[in-house]
Amino acid sequence: MTKYLISFPSEAMVLTPEEFPIVVAESHAVIEEAKAAGVYVFGGGINEEVGPVLVSASGSVSTEIHPGSELTGGFTVLELPTREDAIEWAGKIAAACRCAQELREFGYDPAS
């Protein structure tokens, strides 16, 4: 089975204050469905109140991150048999979150 990253940047989700609790409930329902189906691996949102840091091999820390590596929003990792299944789940998450989702496939690593 292959792991898939389903994600969106925070600026893609544009909601009114009234819509927010509905979207939270519906997105949690999709996650519960994925858990019940045995395909859920992990999910969450980036805490944008805490800035990222770059840690070097020596352990030094810098607030300057790699150019172009800004990461915001939410993501879900699912383990699924086919890309078509991943597209179906991404559609469910898109409907619940009210925004299109990006779908990426993790490369297979036999050591992980």
Side-chain angles (χ1 to χ4, degrees):
M1 296 246 280
T2 303
K3 291 181 181 69
Y4 293 89
L5 175 67
I6 301 169
S7 64
F8 63 93
S10 56
E11 60 269 9
M13 186 182 275
V14 181
L15 302 171
T16 66
E18 297 79 25
E19 291 173 308
F20 189 74
I22 297 166
V23 169
V24 168
E26 290 182 13
S27 62
H28 287 173
V30 173
I31 294 305
E32 289 304 318
E33 181 184 351
K35 288 177 179 180
V39 299
Y40 181 81
V41 176
F42 184 79
I46 300 298
N47 184 346
E48 296 174 36
E49 294 178 11
V50 179
V53 295
L54 187 66
V55 181
S56 73
S58 69
S60 66
V61 178
S62 169
T63 58
E64 293 183 30
I65 59 173
H66 293 292
S69 69
E70 184 177 335
L71 179 61
T72 64
F75 61 92
T76 305
V77 177
L78 301 180
E79 189 168 37
L80 299 158
T82 68
R83 185 169 181 86
E84 290 75 23
D85 291 323
I87 290 169
E88 181 180 333
W89 279 100
K92 291 179 184 187
I93 294 170
C97 291
R98 311 296 196 274
C99 65
Q101 302 290 302
E102 297 177 356
L103 177 65
R104 291 177 173 82
E105 184 176 314
F106 283 96
Y108 175 72
D109 180 356
S112 65

